[in-house]
Amino acid sequence: MSDRRERPVTDDTVEQEIKHEQAVVDRIYARLEAATRSAQALAADGHARAGVGNEGGLVERDAMVFQASKRLATLNAAHEGLVFGRLDLRHDDEPRYIGRLGLRDEEREVLLIDWRAPAASVFYQATAQDPLGVVRRRVLQSSSDKVIGIQDDLLDADHAPDDLVVVGEGALIASLSRSRDKTMHSVVATIQKEQDDAIRAPQKGVTTISGGPGTGKTVVALHRAAYLLYIDRRRFEGGGVLVVGPNTVFMSYIERVLPSLGETSVSLRALGEVVDGITATRHDRPTVASIKGSSRMKPLLARTARGAVPGAPTSFRIFYRDDVLTLDERELGVLRRTLLSSGQRRNRVAPKVADELIELLWRKATGDRAREHGHDEFAHTMRGSDDFIEFARSWWPVVDAVDVYGWLRDPARLAVDAGTLLRKPEIDDLLESLTDDFSVEDVPLLDELRYLVGEPPEPEPEDDPLADLYDETVPELSTTDQRSSGGFVRVRPGERPTVSIEDDGYAHVLVDEAQDLSPMQWRMVGRRGRHASWTVVGDAAQSSWSRPDEAAAAREDALRGKDHNAFRLSTNYRNSQEIYELAAEVARAAIPGADLAVAVRETGVEPRIHDVDHPQLARTVREATEHLADQLDGTIGVVAPADRLDEVRAWLGERDTERIVVLEPIDTKGLEFDGLVVVEPDAIVAESDAGIRTLYVVLTRATQQLEIVGTTNHWRP
């Protein structure tokens, strides 16, 4: 054993250590540049193959350019902070360097180990209690390609050489004091053991990551997505990885994490963006949202989708030979129900409608002349009749989900379809909310209808006289994302699908803030992962959905038949102890069974609570915001009740909107700010049945300082 003694580390010693690491990093970046030039040359060579002049040359070109482009995207994404870790091992003379991707030198010797590789796992798994052969773990802090600092963890002092330099207080604690900006950052250099266990969990089935606020659930889940793509790229890149989050603010916040880990082929979608062709950002008021999210909407929409088309003819009359043939409303209703029996989809049976109508009319043709000419002549005559074609088109048009959803704006129709599923006040609330400006809560209902009515049928051959009956152009609402061919994907308004609703969906689905999904949202997301593996992230205590048992049943149905692995994260790295203790008091008093993590960081700054009269509210909010902006370098969040956002923005006047953000409570999910001002917490609690849980979420968004301004204080334990 070593008799090494701790010695003070001077600035000169640290400078020499940084210079040594910089020399290594320079060599690795030089190799990165060489790899980039090689990929660029491959792309150029691929383009040149097009000049061969045959189909084989074009195919070869496309393959080469595609692979080269993917490699370039990966290399470019990894440039920032490429090298972040070093391991000094007990039984290895040469240190291992860990980075965002793997690189070898010209002799095929390993220069840099990809953080997802098995050889890198000890960087995260080693502890002082179980060092796993690691003597020193070093984190390199960089700005672009320059090393600006180092932080060491001495894990095995007994086997440390006498001259081993140990710098700093440890990488994790150092990283916790960093100011936030508007985006989430990778924590790949400071992942802790319990987090790494979840990241490297078996790829099959459902991996559940739970834990209280600030435990790193989201960033761990994103690192898990990158890890899965690394260990089985063919499956997960080919089948697609979908990341679903609560809102567009959150998705913008996290969108740089995966590219920074070397992954650019993942689709990020907020709940209002899951269905192609629709981007919804506004929320319905809580009472309406609870109706639209309820599982009661499933049978209601099924009735709507199977009902008569508004404005369609209710009868038909035509002359044939000696007969007057008629179809009345009852007969047409029976035929409609027959065609839609056994789960048939309206658009899928459209090609059969004309034949079924002809058969129904033929049974009424009893005259001698009609029977003399026979069935084939009758069918031919009907198919050539403009009146019959127009009737068939009008009675059974091809429809899309938006069309069918619009049928519910008829109060009488909605009342019939709702039946006993909804109470009269709920029907009135739902009716009032149905507009062309779709809400986030409308999107899963449109998705449900998309499945119920089905894809438009393929046109029949041109010589079919009834082809134009079902060769309709219907706006597409896909249930499955467009796949990315090596590019990072965020859905944009106006995109249209390239796959059918019958597609099996994704290879992996990651759902963040899963506790907030309504039953109908679980149905929507579940369709995209029928044969997928899943990562499900959440904390029941932070749920904004007021009927957890109903949502749990829908979640179970979406994940039915899959194996489950559960991981709980126990340490709160986000909040200071002072801030989290206040939030935890709220949770203990009002949220049974809340999973309260352990906050590990103290700032010495207690939350400031301002009880004010109404006339002082605006001034106090403004002063609190200015105080935090002066005290802190990072982001400031101002959270106010949804119906007072415009008022609060007016109070603050001109401000740096990149740094000082005003949000409604529901949009703070998953975010964090250095400083936070909470306006009228009792009004936040009163906004919904889950209001106290929403307030708990809001209070835990602050990392450094928290200011609370209200005219009442009933929220306090």
Side-chain angles (χ1 to χ4, degrees), residues 466-603:
L466 291 178
D468 62 350
L469 283 182
Y470 37 84
D471 182 12
E472 299 283 349
T473 300
V474 177
E476 294 284 0
L477 295 175
S478 172
T479 62
T480 313
D481 228 26
Q482 291 177 301
R483 297 294 185 259
S484 163
S485 57
F488 182 62
V489 173
R490 278 295 308 279
V491 64
R492 299 299 179 200
E495 289 182 356
R496 288 295 184 258
T498 57
V499 292
S500 163
I501 64 172
E502 308 298 339
D503 188 271
D504 285 339
Y506 289 82
H508 189 79
V509 176
L510 189 164
V511 182
D512 201 1
E513 303 293 348
Q515 75 280 348
D516 289 339
L517 266 64
S518 71
M520 295 306 293
Q521 287 170 335
W522 271 116
R523 288 181 59 79
M524 173 180 69
V525 177
R527 293 187 183 102
R528 287 146 179 83
R530 288 188 298 261
H531 305 292
S533 58
W534 289 66
T535 300
V536 179
V537 184
D539 173 23
Q542 299 183 61
S543 175
S544 61
W545 180 251
S546 58
R547 294 188 293 277
D549 291 345
E550 185 186 18
R555 169 175 167 166
E556 182 180 348
D557 188 59
L559 305 177
R560 190 177 305 280
K562 300 181 185 294
D563 295 332
H564 287 256
N565 296 298
F567 295 86
R568 175 183 177 267
L569 306 182
S570 60
T571 304
N572 181 341
Y573 301 107
R574 176 196 300 146
N575 308 123
S576 68
Q577 290 181 4
E578 295 84 354
I579 290 172
Y580 190 59
E581 182 52 38
L582 175 62
E585 287 180 12
V586 171
R588 290 189 193 98
I591 307 173
D595 186 350
L596 302 179
V598 177
V600 297
R601 182 172 51 85
E602 295 181 69
T603 62

Side-chain angles (χ1 to χ4, degrees), residues 240-383:
V241 174
L242 172 66
V243 177
V244 178
N247 53 61
T248 54
V249 176
F250 175 79
M251 302 314 285
S252 296
Y253 179 61
I254 70 171
E255 68 181 355
R256 67 174 287 177
V257 174
L258 283 163
S260 76
L261 298 173
E263 294 303 340
T264 57
S265 57
V266 174
S267 295
L268 298 184
R269 300 240 169 178
L271 283 167
E273 302 172 326
V274 170
V275 177
D276 279 320
I278 293 180
T279 297
T281 57
R282 74 171 183 88
H283 289 277
D284 287 304
R285 55 192 175 89
T287 52
V288 174
S290 67
I291 298 168
K292 291 182 178 179
S294 171
S295 57
R296 293 175 293 168
M297 291 302 297
K298 175 187 172 185
L300 189 157
L301 294 174
R303 292 172 185 171
T304 304
R306 299 168 70 83
V309 176
T314 57
S315 63
F316 179 63
R317 185 170 182 266
I318 193 169
F319 291 96
Y320 180 72
R321 305 298 181 183
D322 295 333
D323 289 326
V324 179
L325 309 178
T326 61
L327 298 175
D328 61 25
E329 185 173 6
R330 184 193 65 79
E331 291 170 315
L332 290 172
V334 170
L335 178 57
R336 172 174 50 80
R337 289 187 290 273
T338 300
L339 287 168
L340 294 175
S341 63
S342 304
Q344 293 295 313
R345 295 170 179 167
R346 180 184 289 272
N347 286 338
R348 286 302 186 192
V349 301
K352 305 176 183 178
V353 169
D355 288 339
E356 294 295 335
L357 287 170
I358 289 171
E359 290 303 314
L360 191 56
L361 288 167
W362 174 247
R363 289 197 291 271
K364 295 194 167 202
T366 58
D368 292 339
R369 293 184 61 199
R371 289 292 167 178
E372 176 184 342
H373 286 83
H375 177 277
D376 291 345
E377 172 65 21
F378 175 76
H380 179 75
T381 301
M382 290 298 105
R383 287 175 176 273

Side-chain angles (χ1 to χ4, degrees), residues 46 183 211 443 580 611 615:
T183 57
V443 175
Y580 190 59
D611 293 325

Side-chain angles (χ1 to χ4, degrees), residues 182 628-630 632-637 656-661:
K182 292 190 70 175
L628 292 180
D630 290 339
L632 303 169
D633 294 329
T635 56
I636 310 298
D656 179 359
T657 56
E658 290 294 306
R659 186 181 176 215
I660 301 174
V661 183

Side-chain angles (χ1 to χ4, degrees), residues 161-283:
D162 290 342
D163 60 350
L164 186 72
V165 176
V166 180
V167 177
E169 59 181 343
L172 175 63
I173 297 301
S175 73
L176 296 179
S177 60
R178 176 177 56 80
S179 295
R180 269 62 182 171
D181 58 26
K182 292 190 70 175
T183 57
M184 176 180 283
H185 295 265
S186 159
V187 297
V188 67
T190 56
I191 291 169
Q192 301 300 291
K193 184 179 186 303
E194 68 172 12
Q195 297 173 325
D196 192 62
D197 289 339
I199 290 170
R200 298 175 193 267
Q203 61 179 279
K204 294 183 179 180
V206 180
T207 295
T208 301
I209 302 174
S210 64
T215 53
K217 298 184 296 297
T218 295
V219 74
V220 166
L222 293 172
H223 283 67
R224 172 165 173 75
Y227 173 73
L228 292 175
L229 282 158
Y230 176 81
I231 63 171
D232 196 346
R233 185 164 299 279
R234 180 185 297 272
R235 175 187 175 194
F236 291 109
E237 189 170 79
V241 174
L242 172 66
V243 177
V244 178
N247 53 61
T248 54
V249 176
F250 175 79
M251 302 314 285
S252 296
Y253 179 61
I254 70 171
E255 68 181 355
R256 67 174 287 177
V257 174
L258 283 163
S260 76
L261 298 173
E263 294 303 340
T264 57
S265 57
V266 174
S267 295
L268 298 184
R269 300 240 169 178
L271 283 167
E273 302 172 326
V274 170
V275 177
D276 279 320
I278 293 180
T279 297
T281 57
R282 74 171 183 88
H283 289 277

Side-chain angles (χ1 to χ4, degrees), residues 213 542 574-575 579-580 583 671 695-702:
Q542 299 183 61
R574 176 196 300 146
N575 308 123
I579 290 172
Y580 190 59
L671 306 183
L695 178 62
Y696 173 55
V697 171
V698 170
L699 295 176
T700 58
R701 301 305 98 188

